Amino acid sequence: MSHTLGARQAQKQKTRRALLDAALGLLEEQSLSSLGLREVTRAVGVAPTAFYRHFRSVEDLGVALVEEALGSLHPMIRTIVSTTGDGDERVARAVELIAGHVDAYPAHVRFIARERHGGVRVVRGAIREQLALFAGEVRDALASDPVSLGWEPEDLLMLAQLYVDQMLVTASALLEAVGDGAGERERVVRDAVRRMRLIGIGRAHWVGGG
Amino acid sequence: MSHTLGARQAQKQKTRRALLDAALGLLEEQSLSSLGLREVTRAVGVAPTAFYRHFRSVEDLGVALVEEALGSLHPMIRTIVSTTGDGDERVARAVELIAGHVDAYPAHVRFIARERHGGVRVVRGAIREQLALFAGEVRDALASDPVSLGWEPEDLLMLAQLYVDQMLVTASALLEAVGDGAGERERVVRDAVRRMRLIGIGRAHWVGGG
DNA sequence: AAAGTCAGTGAACAACTGTACGCAAAGTCT
DNA sequence: AGACTTTGCGTACAGTTGTTCACTGACTTT
C-alpha cells in the first residue's frame, strides 16, 4: 500500500506543503478570516483553482495548519513533563524548551496564538481540542507525582490547564519580544520562569476542599 | 465649551455609535482584519462614504473600540484591587465582578480576546498599552499590601501581569462557556477561583532571589 | 436673513474575490 | 501499449472591495 509514495503523490504533497508554507507566511501579518484563497495560490505560483485539489476552503487549510502546529508538539510536552530534577531546574528546562520551539517555528506559534480566539469557528475548535489533549497529558503526569497525593482529580486538571495556558502566554510573549532589543528576550524568559515558579510554590502548599 | 452639544454634533455622535456597535456585532463572527468598511456601513444603513466622516480606516475604528472596551475597565480594576477582606473572599468577589462584566459586555470582551493577538498591528499595540496600564495599577495596589514586604519591584510587576493575564483568560473562558450548558458556566467560575487561589498561595509563600 | 459648515449621498472607478467549467499532460494501472 | 486517473491551467463570471468626486440639504454662525 505504501511502497515509496509514487512520483504522483510526491508532487502533490510538495504543492500542498508549498500552500501551507505560503499561507503560514501570509498569516504573520493578517488573520485567517481575511486570508484569501487566491492570495495563497499567487504566493506559491499556481493557478487559483489548484487550491481545491488540496483543500476544500481556506478554513480547511487552517485546520490542517492547527494539526501541523500542535500535533507536532506532543513530543515536546512529554519531554517537559517527564523531565526529572529539582523543581526550579525543571521550570528552567521547560521554559528553555519552549523558547527553542518559538525560535524554530515562530510562524506556527504566531498562528496558534492568533487563531485560538480568532474569527474562524472550526479552527478555534481544532485548537481547543488539541489544547485539551495537552492538558490531559499534563494532568496524567502530575497525577503520578507524589506531590499530588491529596489532590482531587478536578484540581489536577485545573492546574494542568494553568500550565498549558502559561506555556502559550510565554510563547506568545517571546514572539513579541523578538522585535525589541536582545535583552528583552531574556527578560521575558526570566519572567516566565518566575511565573512558573510561583505556580509551583502554590502547588506545593495547595490545600484542597475550601 | 460644552453647553449641550448642538443637534449637529449629537447626530454625528449617534452615527458614530451606530458604526461602532455594528462593527462590534459583526466582529462576533470574524476578525478585524477581515472586516470591511462597506460591511459596517451596510449594517448601519448609511452610505459607504459616510464612514470616512468618522474614521480614517477600519484599523482606526478598531483602536477606538479598544479604548472603549478597555478604557471603561479601569474603574473595575480599581474596585477589585481595593476590595478588602479575606483572600478567598477577594478572589471570589473579583471573579464575580469579571463574570458580571462579561455578561454585560460580551462583544467587547470577545473583541479584546480576539484582537489581542490579531492581525492588525496598531490594534494589538493599543491593547498591549492598555493592559500594561492595568498591570501597573495592580502592581501599585500589590505594593501597598503588607504581604509584599520582601518583594522586589520586578517580581511585583510579574505577579501583576500574571493576575491581568488570568483576568483575560477567565473572561474568555466565560465567553466560550455561554454556549454550552448552564452548569458549564459555574464550572468555569469555580476553576477560575481555584486558579486565582493557587496563585495567591504561591504569592503568600514566595521567596525572592533564588 | 444671508453665508458658511459639514454629515451624509450616489455614481463611478479599478482591483479584487470565490467558484464553475473544460482542457492539457503527466503518472499509474491493466 | 492503451485506457484511466488526476494535478494543475486558463478562462470566465458575478459579486465584492476601498476610494474618488461632486452633490445636497440641514444645522450654525454671523
Side-chain angles (χ1 to χ4, degrees):
Chain A
M1 283 293 140
S2 62
H3 337 288
T4 8
L5 194 67
R8 193 69 169 276
Q9 293 288 323
Q11 174 57 31
K12 181 170 186 181
Q13 291 303 319
K14 210 169 161 184
T15 312
R16 188 186 141 97
R17 264 255 57 82
L19 288 170
L20 287 168
D21 288 341
L24 216 41
L26 290 165
L27 286 172
E28 304 235 7
E29 307 207 349
Q30 64 185 308
S31 44
L32 189 67
S33 73
S34 74
L35 181 67
L37 167 162
R38 291 184 103 107
E39 213 175 335
V40 179
T41 56
R42 194 186 312 132
V44 172
V46 304
T49 48
F51 186 92
Y52 292 109
R53 305 286 182 196
H54 302 273
F55 307 99
R56 209 176 323 194
S57 65
V58 177
E59 302 201 352
D60 218 46
L61 179 145
V63 174
L65 279 179
V66 171
E67 280 165 19
E68 179 173 306
L70 291 185
S72 71
L73 219 70
H74 287 266
M76 180 178 130
I77 300 276
R78 267 180 288 254
T79 304
I80 291 183
V81 130
S82 65
T83 297
T84 56
D86 170 67
D88 280 12
E89 278 179 41
R90 286 182 63 156
V91 166
R93 204 89 61 90
V95 172
E96 260 332 301
L97 221 52
I98 292 171
H101 186 82
V102 173
D103 287 341
Y105 309 97
H108 280 136
V109 173
R110 168 164 286 127
F111 171 72
I112 296 299
R114 183 157 294 169
E115 300 304 328
R116 182 185 185 189
H117 303 283
V120 182
R121 180 188 298 266
V122 290
V123 170
R124 285 200 307 271
I127 294 177
R128 201 220 282 243
E129 197 180 319
Q130 291 287 328
L131 294 185
L133 287 178
F134 288 165
E137 292 184 24
V138 172
R139 181 205 50 200
D140 292 349
L142 290 173
S144 61
D145 183 319
V147 180
S148 317
L149 265 180
W151 286 62
E152 303 194 22
E154 227 177 348
D155 290 344
L156 275 180
L157 185 56
M158 177 275 290
L159 179 58
Q161 284 167 337
L162 184 55
Y163 275 130
V164 171
D165 268 338
Q166 278 308 306
M167 188 180 84
L168 287 192
V169 167
T170 300
S172 131
L174 280 166
L175 218 49
E176 290 177 357
V178 299
D180 316 345
E184 183 66 5
R185 190 202 136 103
E186 290 174 28
R187 205 191 57 77
V188 169
V189 168
R190 275 222 322 275
D191 247 47
V193 166
R194 283 185 286 195
R195 273 202 298 269
M196 298 275 268
R197 191 159 68 192
L198 189 138
I199 293 173
I201 294 175
R203 180 188 173 208
H205 295 83
W206 178 259
V207 281
Chain B
M1 281 295 133
S2 63
H3 339 289
T4 11
L5 194 66
R8 192 70 169 274
Q9 293 288 323
Q11 175 56 32
K12 181 170 186 181
Q13 291 303 318
K14 210 169 161 184
T15 314
R16 188 187 140 98
R17 262 255 58 80
L19 288 170
L20 288 168
D21 288 341
L24 216 41
L26 291 164
L27 286 172
E28 304 234 9
E29 307 207 350
Q30 63 184 309
S31 44
L32 189 67
S33 74
S34 75
L35 181 67
L37 167 162
R38 291 183 104 106
E39 212 175 337
V40 179
T41 56
R42 195 185 313 132
V44 172
V46 305
T49 47
F51 186 92
Y52 293 107
R53 303 289 181 195
H54 302 273
F55 307 99
R56 210 178 320 195
S57 65
V58 176
E59 302 201 354
D60 217 45
L61 179 145
V63 174
L65 280 179
V66 171
E67 280 165 19
E68 180 172 306
L70 291 185
S72 70
L73 219 70
H74 287 267
M76 179 177 131
I77 299 276
R78 268 180 287 254
T79 305
I80 291 183
V81 131
S82 66
T83 298
T84 57
D86 170 66
D88 280 11
E89 277 180 42
R90 288 182 61 156
V91 167
R93 205 87 62 89
V95 172
E96 261 330 303
L97 222 52
I98 293 171
H101 186 82
V102 173
D103 287 340
Y105 309 97
H108 281 135
V109 173
R110 167 163 289 127
F111 170 71
I112 295 299
R114 184 156 295 169
E115 300 304 329
R116 182 184 185 189
H117 303 283
V120 182
R121 180 188 299 266
V122 290
V123 169
R124 284 201 308 270
I127 294 177
R128 203 221 280 242
E129 196 181 319
Q130 290 287 329
L131 293 185
L133 287 178
F134 288 166
E137 292 183 24
V138 173
R139 182 206 48 201
D140 292 350
L142 289 173
S144 62
D145 182 318
V147 180
S148 315
L149 266 180
W151 286 62
E152 304 194 23
E154 225 177 350
D155 290 344
L156 274 181
L157 184 57
M158 177 276 289
L159 178 59
Q161 284 167 338
L162 184 55
Y163 275 130
V164 171
D165 268 338
Q166 278 308 306
M167 189 180 83
L168 287 192
V169 167
T170 300
S172 133
L174 280 165
L175 218 50
E176 290 177 358
V178 298
D180 317 344
E184 183 66 5
R185 189 203 136 103
E186 291 174 27
R187 205 191 58 76
V188 170
V189 168
R190 275 222 321 275
D191 247 48
V193 167
R194 283 186 286 195
R195 272 201 300 267
M196 299 273 270
R197 192 161 66 194
L198 189 138
I199 293 173
I201 294 175
R203 180 189 173 208
H205 294 83
W206 179 259
V207 280

